[in-house]
PDB file of all heavy atoms in Angstrom:
ATOM      1  N   ARG C 218     -14.982-135.224 -93.812  1.00  0.00           N
ATOM      2  CA  ARG C 218     -14.772-135.881 -95.087  1.00  0.00           C
ATOM      3  C   ARG C 218     -14.431-137.380 -94.888  1.00  0.00           C
ATOM      4  O   ARG C 218     -14.789-138.221 -95.698  1.00  0.00           O
ATOM      5  CB  ARG C 218     -13.660-135.173 -95.863  1.00  0.00           C
ATOM      6  CG  ARG C 218     -13.561-135.608 -97.319  1.00  0.00           C
ATOM      7  CD  ARG C 218     -12.470-134.834 -98.067  1.00  0.00           C
ATOM      8  NE  ARG C 218     -12.622-133.399 -97.922  1.00  0.00           N
ATOM      9  CZ  ARG C 218     -11.689-132.569 -97.448  1.00  0.00           C
ATOM     10  NH1 ARG C 218     -10.540-133.070 -97.029  1.00  0.00           N
ATOM     11  NH2 ARG C 218     -11.896-131.290 -97.367  1.00  0.00           N
ATOM     12  N   TRP C 219     -13.728-137.678 -93.790  1.00  0.00           N
ATOM     13  CA  TRP C 219     -13.232-139.044 -93.579  1.00  0.00           C
ATOM     14  C   TRP C 219     -14.137-139.873 -92.682  1.00  0.00           C
ATOM     15  O   TRP C 219     -14.020-141.117 -92.677  1.00  0.00           O
ATOM     16  CB  TRP C 219     -11.818-138.989 -92.986  1.00  0.00           C
ATOM     17  CG  TRP C 219     -10.795-138.660 -94.032  1.00  0.00           C
ATOM     18  CD1 TRP C 219     -10.315-137.426 -94.343  1.00  0.00           C
ATOM     19  CD2 TRP C 219     -10.122-139.589 -94.886  1.00  0.00           C
ATOM     20  NE1 TRP C 219      -9.392-137.511 -95.353  1.00  0.00           N
ATOM     21  CE2 TRP C 219      -9.251-138.843 -95.724  1.00  0.00           C
ATOM     22  CE3 TRP C 219     -10.181-140.960 -95.067  1.00  0.00           C
ATOM     23  CZ2 TRP C 219      -8.437-139.429 -96.685  1.00  0.00           C
ATOM     24  CZ3 TRP C 219      -9.374-141.557 -96.021  1.00  0.00           C
ATOM     25  CH2 TRP C 219      -8.515-140.785 -96.821  1.00  0.00           C
ATOM     26  N   PHE C 220     -14.978-139.240 -91.899  1.00  0.00           N
ATOM     27  CA  PHE C 220     -15.828-139.980 -90.962  1.00  0.00           C
ATOM     28  C   PHE C 220     -17.312-139.758 -91.313  1.00  0.00           C
ATOM     29  O   PHE C 220     -17.793-138.613 -91.145  1.00  0.00           O
ATOM     30  CB  PHE C 220     -15.541-139.569 -89.518  1.00  0.00           C
ATOM     31  CG  PHE C 220     -14.182-139.934 -89.024  1.00  0.00           C
ATOM     32  CD1 PHE C 220     -13.119-139.012 -89.138  1.00  0.00           C
ATOM     33  CD2 PHE C 220     -13.918-141.176 -88.476  1.00  0.00           C
ATOM     34  CE1 PHE C 220     -11.846-139.346 -88.698  1.00  0.00           C
ATOM     35  CE2 PHE C 220     -12.654-141.514 -88.024  1.00  0.00           C
ATOM     36  CZ  PHE C 220     -11.620-140.593 -88.138  1.00  0.00           C
ATOM     37  N   PRO C 221     -18.013-140.795 -91.748  1.00  0.00           N
ATOM     38  CA  PRO C 221     -19.467-140.657 -91.950  1.00  0.00           C
ATOM     39  C   PRO C 221     -20.129-140.250 -90.633  1.00  0.00           C
ATOM     40  O   PRO C 221     -19.777-140.771 -89.563  1.00  0.00           O
ATOM     41  CB  PRO C 221     -19.893-142.068 -92.376  1.00  0.00           C
ATOM     42  CG  PRO C 221     -18.651-142.729 -92.872  1.00  0.00           C
ATOM     43  CD  PRO C 221     -17.533-142.143 -92.087  1.00  0.00           C
ATOM     44  N   ALA C 222     -21.091-139.313 -90.718  1.00  0.00           N
ATOM     45  CA  ALA C 222     -21.606-138.718 -89.494  1.00  0.00           C
ATOM     46  C   ALA C 222     -23.124-138.732 -89.458  1.00  0.00           C
ATOM     47  O   ALA C 222     -23.805-138.824 -90.496  1.00  0.00           O
ATOM     48  CB  ALA C 222     -21.093-137.289 -89.337  1.00  0.00           C
ATOM     49  N   THR C 223     -23.637-138.610 -88.253  1.00  0.00           N
ATOM     50  CA  THR C 223     -25.051-138.382 -88.010  1.00  0.00           C
ATOM     51  C   THR C 223     -25.217-137.033 -87.353  1.00  0.00           C
ATOM     52  O   THR C 223     -24.391-136.667 -86.487  1.00  0.00           O
ATOM     53  CB  THR C 223     -25.674-139.483 -87.125  1.00  0.00           C
ATOM     54  OG1 THR C 223     -27.026-139.126 -86.803  1.00  0.00           O
ATOM     55  CG2 THR C 223     -24.885-139.660 -85.835  1.00  0.00           C
ATOM     56  N   PRO C 224     -26.216-136.252 -87.726  1.00  0.00           N
ATOM     57  CA  PRO C 224     -26.366-134.922 -87.123  1.00  0.00           C
ATOM     58  C   PRO C 224     -26.986-134.961 -85.719  1.00  0.00           C
ATOM     59  O   PRO C 224     -27.039-133.927 -85.033  1.00  0.00           O
ATOM     60  CB  PRO C 224     -27.309-134.198 -88.089  1.00  0.00           C
ATOM     61  CG  PRO C 224     -28.118-135.301 -88.704  1.00  0.00           C
ATOM     62  CD  PRO C 224     -27.207-136.469 -88.788  1.00  0.00           C
ATOM     63  N   GLU C 225     -27.401-136.135 -85.284  1.00  0.00           N
ATOM     64  CA  GLU C 225     -28.104-136.251 -84.009  1.00  0.00           C
ATOM     65  C   GLU C 225     -27.155-136.741 -82.904  1.00  0.00           C
ATOM     66  O   GLU C 225     -26.279-137.569 -83.150  1.00  0.00           O
ATOM     67  CB  GLU C 225     -29.286-137.213 -84.143  1.00  0.00           C
ATOM     68  CG  GLU C 225     -30.343-136.777 -85.155  1.00  0.00           C
ATOM     69  CD  GLU C 225     -31.418-137.812 -85.340  1.00  0.00           C
ATOM     70  OE1 GLU C 225     -31.288-138.920 -84.746  1.00  0.00           O
ATOM     71  OE2 GLU C 225     -32.389-137.529 -86.061  1.00  0.00           O
ATOM     72  N   TYR C 226     -27.382-136.217 -81.685  1.00  0.00           N
ATOM     73  CA  TYR C 226     -26.640-136.698 -80.534  1.00  0.00           C
ATOM     74  C   TYR C 226     -27.221-138.051 -80.080  1.00  0.00           C
ATOM     75  O   TYR C 226     -28.435-138.260 -80.115  1.00  0.00           O
ATOM     76  CB  TYR C 226     -26.726-135.697 -79.377  1.00  0.00           C
ATOM     77  CG  TYR C 226     -25.855-134.493 -79.585  1.00  0.00           C
ATOM     78  CD1 TYR C 226     -26.370-133.316 -80.135  1.00  0.00           C
ATOM     79  CD2 TYR C 226     -24.520-134.510 -79.222  1.00  0.00           C
ATOM     80  CE1 TYR C 226     -25.558-132.194 -80.342  1.00  0.00           C
ATOM     81  CE2 TYR C 226     -23.702-133.400 -79.403  1.00  0.00           C
ATOM     82  CZ  TYR C 226     -24.227-132.245 -79.960  1.00  0.00           C
ATOM     83  OH  TYR C 226     -23.426-131.159 -80.155  1.00  0.00           O
ATOM     84  N   HIS C 227     -26.327-138.961 -79.672  1.00  0.00           N
ATOM     85  CA  HIS C 227     -26.732-140.267 -79.152  1.00  0.00           C
ATOM     86  C   HIS C 227     -26.131-140.384 -77.741  1.00  0.00           C
ATOM     87  O   HIS C 227     -25.117-141.076 -77.555  1.00  0.00           O
ATOM     88  CB  HIS C 227     -26.254-141.381 -80.066  1.00  0.00           C
ATOM     89  CG  HIS C 227     -26.966-141.447 -81.367  1.00  0.00           C
ATOM     90  ND1 HIS C 227     -28.000-142.343 -81.645  1.00  0.00           N
ATOM     91  CD2 HIS C 227     -26.838-140.693 -82.500  1.00  0.00           C
ATOM     92  CE1 HIS C 227     -28.447-142.154 -82.854  1.00  0.00           C
ATOM     93  NE2 HIS C 227     -27.758-141.159 -83.410  1.00  0.00           N
ATOM     94  N   GLY C 228     -26.746-139.696 -76.805  1.00  0.00           N
ATOM     95  CA  GLY C 228     -26.192-139.681 -75.440  1.00  0.00           C
ATOM     96  C   GLY C 228     -24.828-139.012 -75.465  1.00  0.00           C
ATOM     97  O   GLY C 228     -24.616-138.037 -76.186  1.00  0.00           O
ATOM     98  N   ASN C 229     -23.902-139.573 -74.665  1.00  0.00           N
ATOM     99  CA  ASN C 229     -22.556-138.992 -74.649  1.00  0.00           C
ATOM    100  C   ASN C 229     -21.575-139.852 -75.449  1.00  0.00           C
ATOM    101  O   ASN C 229     -20.370-139.828 -75.233  1.00  0.00           O
ATOM    102  CB  ASN C 229     -22.055-138.828 -73.208  1.00  0.00           C
ATOM    103  CG  ASN C 229     -21.905-140.180 -72.505  1.00  0.00           C
ATOM    104  OD1 ASN C 229     -22.336-141.207 -73.014  1.00  0.00           O
ATOM    105  ND2 ASN C 229     -21.310-140.173 -71.318  1.00  0.00           N
ATOM    106  N   ARG C 230     -22.118-140.606 -76.425  1.00  0.00           N
ATOM    107  CA  ARG C 230     -21.267-141.465 -77.233  1.00  0.00           C
ATOM    108  C   ARG C 230     -20.648-140.662 -78.413  1.00  0.00           C
ATOM    109  O   ARG C 230     -21.288-139.775 -78.973  1.00  0.00           O
ATOM    110  CB  ARG C 230     -22.077-142.632 -77.811  1.00  0.00           C
ATOM    111  CG  ARG C 230     -22.428-143.698 -76.745  1.00  0.00           C
ATOM    112  CD  ARG C 230     -23.212-144.854 -77.340  1.00  0.00           C
ATOM    113  NE  ARG C 230     -24.547-144.438 -77.734  1.00  0.00           N
ATOM    114  CZ  ARG C 230     -25.410-145.235 -78.363  1.00  0.00           C
ATOM    115  NH1 ARG C 230     -25.052-146.471 -78.716  1.00  0.00           N
ATOM    116  NH2 ARG C 230     -26.615-144.800 -78.685  1.00  0.00           N
ATOM    117  N   LEU C 231     -19.420-141.056 -78.753  1.00  0.00           N
ATOM    118  CA  LEU C 231     -18.734-140.436 -79.871  1.00  0.00           C
ATOM    119  C   LEU C 231     -19.112-141.053 -81.203  1.00  0.00           C
ATOM    120  O   LEU C 231     -19.077-140.430 -82.253  1.00  0.00           O
ATOM    121  CB  LEU C 231     -17.214-140.500 -79.674  1.00  0.00           C
ATOM    122  CG  LEU C 231     -16.652-139.871 -78.394  1.00  0.00           C
ATOM    123  CD1 LEU C 231     -15.141-139.996 -78.362  1.00  0.00           C
ATOM    124  CD2 LEU C 231     -17.067-138.427 -78.265  1.00  0.00           C
ATOM    125  N   PHE C 232     -19.477-142.356 -81.150  1.00  0.00           N
ATOM    126  CA  PHE C 232     -19.913-143.080 -82.340  1.00  0.00           C
ATOM    127  C   PHE C 232     -21.213-143.824 -82.018  1.00  0.00           C
ATOM    128  O   PHE C 232     -21.429-144.238 -80.865  1.00  0.00           O
ATOM    129  CB  PHE C 232     -18.852-144.082 -82.804  1.00  0.00           C
ATOM    130  CG  PHE C 232     -17.605-143.426 -83.342  1.00  0.00           C
ATOM    131  CD1 PHE C 232     -16.526-143.145 -82.500  1.00  0.00           C
ATOM    132  CD2 PHE C 232     -17.499-143.098 -84.675  1.00  0.00           C
ATOM    133  CE1 PHE C 232     -15.394-142.551 -82.986  1.00  0.00           C
ATOM    134  CE2 PHE C 232     -16.339-142.500 -85.192  1.00  0.00           C
ATOM    135  CZ  PHE C 232     -15.286-142.231 -84.339  1.00  0.00           C
ATOM    136  N   ALA C 233     -22.054-143.950 -83.007  1.00  0.00           N
ATOM    137  CA  ALA C 233     -23.331-144.675 -82.824  1.00  0.00           C
ATOM    138  C   ALA C 233     -23.633-145.480 -84.068  1.00  0.00           C
ATOM    139  O   ALA C 233     -23.209-145.128 -85.199  1.00  0.00           O
ATOM    140  CB  ALA C 233     -24.460-143.684 -82.547  1.00  0.00           C
ATOM    141  N   ARG C 234     -24.339-146.592 -83.893  1.00  0.00           N
ATOM    142  CA  ARG C 234     -24.715-147.424 -85.022  1.00  0.00           C
ATOM    143  C   ARG C 234     -26.137-147.035 -85.453  1.00  0.00           C
ATOM    144  O   ARG C 234     -27.088-147.155 -84.689  1.00  0.00           O
ATOM    145  CB  ARG C 234     -24.665-148.892 -84.648  1.00  0.00           C
ATOM    146  CG  ARG C 234     -24.766-149.843 -85.845  1.00  0.00           C
ATOM    147  CD  ARG C 234     -24.336-151.258 -85.467  1.00  0.00           C
ATOM    148  NE  ARG C 234     -22.907-151.308 -85.173  1.00  0.00           N
ATOM    149  CZ  ARG C 234     -21.936-151.375 -86.077  1.00  0.00           C
ATOM    150  NH1 ARG C 234     -22.257-151.393 -87.363  1.00  0.00           N
ATOM    151  NH2 ARG C 234     -20.686-151.448 -85.723  1.00  0.00           N
ATOM    152  N   VAL C 235     -26.256-146.548 -86.688  1.00  0.00           N
ATOM    153  CA  VAL C 235     -27.533-146.110 -87.253  1.00  0.00           C
ATOM    154  C   VAL C 235     -27.774-146.850 -88.565  1.00  0.00           C
ATOM    155  O   VAL C 235     -26.949-146.779 -89.489  1.00  0.00           O
ATOM    156  CB  VAL C 235     -27.530-144.582 -87.514  1.00  0.00           C
ATOM    157  CG1 VAL C 235     -28.861-144.148 -88.094  1.00  0.00           C
ATOM    158  CG2 VAL C 235     -27.232-143.825 -86.227  1.00  0.00           C
ATOM    159  N   ASP C 236     -28.878-147.606 -88.603  1.00  0.00           N
ATOM    160  CA  ASP C 236     -29.229-148.388 -89.802  1.00  0.00           C
ATOM    161  C   ASP C 236     -28.082-149.321 -90.209  1.00  0.00           C
ATOM    162  O   ASP C 236     -27.729-149.447 -91.397  1.00  0.00           O
ATOM    163  CB  ASP C 236     -29.605-147.472 -90.981  1.00  0.00           C
ATOM    164  CG  ASP C 236     -30.840-146.647 -90.699  1.00  0.00           C
ATOM    165  OD1 ASP C 236     -31.707-147.130 -89.940  1.00  0.00           O
ATOM    166  OD2 ASP C 236     -30.929-145.511 -91.226  1.00  0.00           O
ATOM    167  N   GLY C 237     -27.474-149.902 -89.209  1.00  0.00           N
ATOM    168  CA  GLY C 237     -26.382-150.847 -89.453  1.00  0.00           C
ATOM    169  C   GLY C 237     -25.037-150.227 -89.760  1.00  0.00           C
ATOM    170  O   GLY C 237     -24.048-150.928 -89.959  1.00  0.00           O
ATOM    171  N   LYS C 238     -24.953-148.905 -89.803  1.00  0.00           N
ATOM    172  CA  LYS C 238     -23.685-148.206 -90.094  1.00  0.00           C
ATOM    173  C   LYS C 238     -23.168-147.531 -88.832  1.00  0.00           C
ATOM    174  O   LYS C 238     -23.929-146.978 -88.057  1.00  0.00           O
ATOM    175  CB  LYS C 238     -23.887-147.158 -91.190  1.00  0.00           C
ATOM    176  CG  LYS C 238     -24.323-147.743 -92.538  1.00  0.00           C
ATOM    177  CD  LYS C 238     -24.477-146.644 -93.562  1.00  0.00           C
ATOM    178  CE  LYS C 238     -24.890-147.186 -94.924  1.00  0.00           C
ATOM    179  NZ  LYS C 238     -25.050-146.114 -95.928  1.00  0.00           N
ATOM    180  N   ARG C 239     -21.846-147.583 -88.677  1.00  0.00           N
ATOM    181  CA  ARG C 239     -21.210-146.924 -87.531  1.00  0.00           C
ATOM    182  C   ARG C 239     -20.876-145.485 -87.930  1.00  0.00           C
ATOM    183  O   ARG C 239     -20.037-145.256 -88.797  1.00  0.00           O
ATOM    184  CB  ARG C 239     -19.942-147.667 -87.114  1.00  0.00           C
ATOM    185  CG  ARG C 239     -19.389-147.257 -85.769  1.00  0.00           C
ATOM    186  CD  ARG C 239     -18.363-148.287 -85.282  1.00  0.00           C
ATOM    187  NE  ARG C 239     -17.853-147.965 -83.995  1.00  0.00           N
ATOM    188  CZ  ARG C 239     -16.681-147.314 -83.752  1.00  0.00           C
ATOM    189  NH1 ARG C 239     -15.963-146.931 -84.803  1.00  0.00           N
ATOM    190  NH2 ARG C 239     -16.285-147.063 -82.532  1.00  0.00           N
TER     191      ARG C 239
END
Side-chain angles (χ1 to χ4, degrees):
R218 192 178 307 124
W219 283 93
F220 294 92
T223 173
E225 298 175 355
Y226 285 95
H227 290 259
N229 64 350
R230 287 181 291 175
L231 303 181
F232 292 91
R234 192 165 292 279
V235 180
D236 296 330
K238 296 181 180 180
R239 193 165 182 263

